[in-house]
Amino acid sequence: MANTKPGTVAKGAKAPKSTAAAKAAAAAAKAAAEGPGFAPMPKSLTPELVARLLSRAVPASGTVTTYAPYNGLPLADIPQVSAEEIDTVFARARAAQAAWAAMSVKDRAKVFLKYHDLVKDNRDTIMDLVQIENGKTRRDAFREVMDIMNTARYYARVAPDLLGPQGRTGVTPVLTAVKEIHIPKGVVSVISPWNFPFILSVCDTIPALIAGNAVVQKPDNQAALCALYGLDLALQAGLPEGLWQIALGKSSQIGTPLLDNADYLMFTGSTKTGRYLAAEAGKRLIASSMELGGKNPMLVLDDADIERTVEGSLRSCYGGAGQVCVSIERLYVQDKIYDEFVGALTERVRNLALGATYEFGMEMGSLTSQEQLEVISSHVEDAVSKGATVLAGAKARPDLGPLFYEPTLLEGVTDDMTLCRNETFGPVVSVYRFKTVDEGVALANDTEYGLAASVWGGTDVDDIAARIHAGIVTINEDYIAAWGSVDAPMGGLGDSGMGSRHGTYGLLKYTSSQTIARQRVLTLQPPGPMTHEQFETGIMMSLDLLKKVRWR
């Protein structure tokens, strides 16, 4: 994303194409000059804290300034690593990884049980940093604290068993002893985005480290302080120096060396970038896991509890100002309750508490960048110009802050409109009517994406959920029901990615399996004077017997 001050256009960049975005930028600049009283920085963001966090980053000569979405004020001068410096970063990581991998899994896990407690004890600062860098509400920032505590506890508890030697069935019962062990990949590159600045900076790093790897991470510059605070807490918890390094910089400059030096790649971002990285990883024969874009559907059935579903829709659609890969952008409502439901939802959307505060009162916060404001404004303007009806929102709110945009609900969206099939990644939702369950499922599946979905209703909902082409499907709750269940995998289908985070796979993907077999007493050749023909007959009898006794 662009590291330009909200409400301004970077030097050499094109002016915003969207009329609404341009007007909002001008109004925000005027308001800032007049001092409208936008949300100030929280007291936790002291110069001492910023200096300590920046000292945790890989040293670099260049810097770029980041800005707070709430008020447009500068946050920090973020060091920018050059491509030439990445080789040194990986050399340091490999040196640290050898000693870390030699430790027992239990000892590695103890670090993250301490980490769990440090996150809990420092949750107010974490939430402040999330809001400062992202612009989301306090309640959404709290979800980031909760998620990382869940993740740290879960992998610290399950890793010793999952990573321990696993007994396997040998080719000959009793005579062949086989075990499977898990070897760390080595150094994992983690490339993480800005929309969950704490979660996505930490949640993939925890299992990679517990598995015995080192991590070199490139978070988005706009998430730098959250990522560095995550690293700072890990070092306080006892993680050795050099094992987790944060290299900040532009993907266009350091993306290639991050991939070329890696033994495994974990990427969260756009489908376009994911395709490129997957192809490049394939050329190097290294594995990768990717969570990419989505255009996520929600089905509301005739027997859904309208009040509960309306409230759930608000969280599903407008949490994080819609800048959430698993949030809902397509809302399908069955015909019988369509008018009542859409009427109730429209009223709630129009009255959502929108604003900037470091308390828990607000229901939706700010966008994160000028770029997102321009994309969202242009998508809505395009839809309205082609006949879509605005039920709620559809305008920027520079009076609240430079990057505020009202939660928006549209009706009558058609295929010729940009936002119909393309991910908007903002607080914009299209509502549609459907008659039968089969029609609703078909509409939900009419996309190249397959990241997340939601079904709301009473009877037989599980069967309907299983028919939807998505990596996670929640029933009668927003995405947190699936995302927060860290024992279960979370990943996308189709253009939404490959592999998954969380669950068993979320840990084991950072390892390579090795099989160790020991043959006892007899070899696997004909013994003594036995001929090969006799040996064949004996083996066939043994294999038939193993089948009859249901030996696996």
Side-chain angles (χ1 to χ4, degrees):
M1 62 175 287
N3 288 299
T4 56
K5 184 175 180 178
T8 66
V9 181
K11 183 178 179 180
K14 296 180 180 179
K17 295 181 179 179
S18 163
T19 302
K23 289 181 178 179
K30 181 175 183 293
E34 296 173 353
F38 290 157
M41 297 297 189
K43 294 180 180 179
S44 64
L45 191 72
T46 63
E48 292 77 17
L49 174 63
V50 173
R52 187 177 91 230
L53 297 184
L54 293 179
S55 73
R56 298 300 196 190
V58 171
S61 54
T63 62
V64 65
T65 302
T66 56
Y67 296 85
Y70 269 1
N71 52 32
L73 297 176
L75 282 176
D77 293 327
I78 306 298
Q80 300 292 280
V81 176
S82 67
E84 293 74 22
E85 295 169 302
I86 293 297
D87 288 348
T88 302
V89 174
F90 273 85
R92 186 179 183 218
R94 293 193 187 283
Q97 189 267 335
W100 176 250
M103 292 173 58
S104 71
V105 180
K106 287 184 178 180
D107 285 341
R108 297 199 297 260
K110 287 178 183 177
V111 172
F112 291 95
L113 290 176
K114 293 179 183 177
Y115 191 80
H116 169 282
D117 295 341
L118 286 168
V119 170
K120 179 191 69 174
D121 294 342
N122 292 277
R123 60 188 180 276
D124 287 334
T125 300
I126 293 170
M127 288 188 283
D128 284 349
L129 289 173
V130 168
Q131 291 191 270
I132 289 166
E133 289 196 311
N134 180 271
K136 63 178 62 176
T137 64
R138 196 72 169 181
R139 61 183 67 179
D140 289 328
F142 174 69
R143 286 188 167 193
E144 302 212 24
V145 172
M146 178 179 67
D147 182 85
I148 295 305
M149 290 178 67
N150 258 343
T151 300
R153 183 203 69 250
Y154 172 75
Y155 282 118
R157 293 303 188 200
V158 304
D161 286 338
L162 288 177
L163 296 175
Q166 308 291 318
R168 302 300 180 204
T169 300
V171 62
T172 55
V174 181
L175 300 181
T176 309
V178 180
K179 64 181 178 181
E180 177 188 358
I181 65 172
H182 298 282
I183 304 169
K185 291 286 188 181
V187 182
V188 175
S189 283
V190 176
I191 301 177
S192 52
W194 49 264
N195 60 315
F196 279 94
F198 190 64
I199 285 180
L200 294 177
S201 294
V202 180
C203 75
D204 297 308
T205 299
I206 288 174
L209 290 170
I210 291 181
N213 301 283
V215 170
V216 175
Q217 183 176 11
K218 194 205 84 63
D220 190 278
N221 285 322
Q222 191 63 32
L225 296 181
C226 283
L228 292 168
Y229 196 70
L231 170 58
D232 186 68
L233 293 180
L235 294 172
Q236 292 181 44
L239 190 74
E241 291 277 355
L243 198 62
W244 177 10
Q245 296 179 75
I246 293 180
L248 296 158
K250 295 181 179 179
S251 296
S252 59
Q253 294 182 6
I254 65 173
T256 297
L258 279 171
L259 184 60
D260 287 345
N261 284 279
D263 300 306
Y264 188 92
L265 173 66
M266 178 65 215
F267 172 75
T268 305
S270 71
T271 297
K272 180 180 178 181
T273 303
R275 286 185 188 280
Y276 170 77
L277 291 175
E280 292 301 306
K283 291 177 184 177
R284 294 197 58 242
L285 296 179
I286 66 167
S288 60
S289 181
M290 302 192 178
E291 187 209 296
L292 308 176
K295 190 71 176 177
N296 306 309
M298 174 174 170
L299 287 185
V300 181
L301 306 178
D302 278 345
D303 58 353
D305 181 316
I306 290 179
E307 182 178 355
R308 176 181 176 181
T309 307
V310 165
E311 293 303 313
S313 299
L314 300 177
R315 299 191 301 274
S316 300
C317 300
Y318 302 111
Q323 299 172 128
V324 180
C325 52
V326 289
S327 67
I328 299 299
E329 293 192 13
R330 298 181 290 140
L331 180 54
Y332 299 98
V333 184
Q334 201 161 8
D335 189 68
K336 182 180 177 181
I337 64 167
Y338 181 91
D339 292 333
E340 182 181 359
F341 177 84
V342 172
L345 178 61
T346 300
E347 184 67 19
R348 281 290 284 117
V349 173
R350 289 174 179 171
N351 289 285
L352 274 178
L354 174 66
T357 177
Y358 297 101
E359 304 298 330
F360 278 99
M362 292 301 168
E363 294 177 282
M364 197 183 97
S366 172
L367 301 176
T368 305
S369 71
Q370 179 69 25
E371 179 184 13
Q372 287 305 114
L373 176 62
E374 291 173 16
V375 169
I376 292 160
S377 298
S378 65
H379 277 203
V380 173
E381 288 171 8
D382 172 77
V384 172
S385 71
K386 294 174 181 176
T389 299
V390 176
L391 300 179
K395 61 181 179 181
R397 290 293 302 276
D399 56 308
L400 299 176
L403 298 175
F404 278 86
Y405 195 91
E406 290 186 342
T408 299
L409 190 63
L410 301 176
E411 193 176 45
V413 171
T414 54
D415 255 346
D416 60 328
M417 301 171 187
T418 303
L419 63 72
C420 183
R421 292 184 176 274
N422 295 291
E423 184 178 34
T424 302
F425 213 65
V428 181
V429 179
S430 306
V431 62
Y432 307 86
R433 186 190 300 262
F434 71 93
K435 293 183 178 179
T436 67
V437 170
D438 287 346
E439 180 189 3
V441 170
L443 289 168
N445 289 338
D446 186 19
T447 177
E448 294 177 348
Y449 294 109
L451 186 57
S454 181
V455 182
W456 297 70
T459 57
D460 300 325
V461 177
D462 286 58
D463 292 340
I464 297 168
R467 296 169 58 189
I468 296 179
H469 184 76
I472 62 170
V473 182
T474 56
I475 296 174
N476 295 335
E477 187 50 274
D478 69 14
Y479 49 79
I480 197 66
W483 175 280
S485 301
V486 293
D487 192 38
M490 186 275 156
L493 308 177
D495 283 1
S496 290
M498 60 184 187
S500 62
R501 57 168 56 94
H502 295 171
T504 300
Y505 177 83
L507 178 69
L508 296 184
K509 69 183 181 182
Y510 295 118
T511 68
S512 297
S513 295
Q514 183 182 48
T515 296
I516 298 176
R518 178 191 296 274
Q519 189 67 21
R520 302 187 181 102
V521 185
L522 297 177
T523 68
L524 298 176
Q525 295 296 316
M530 181 181 287
T531 66
H532 280 279
E533 289 77 12
Q534 293 171 326
F535 184 70
E536 176 190 2
T537 300
I539 291 294
M540 288 298 99
M541 293 175 60
S542 298
L543 292 175
D544 280 340
L545 177 62
L546 292 176
K547 180 185 176 184
K548 289 177 181 178
V549 300
R550 307 182 70 84
W551 189 266
R552 63 177 183 175

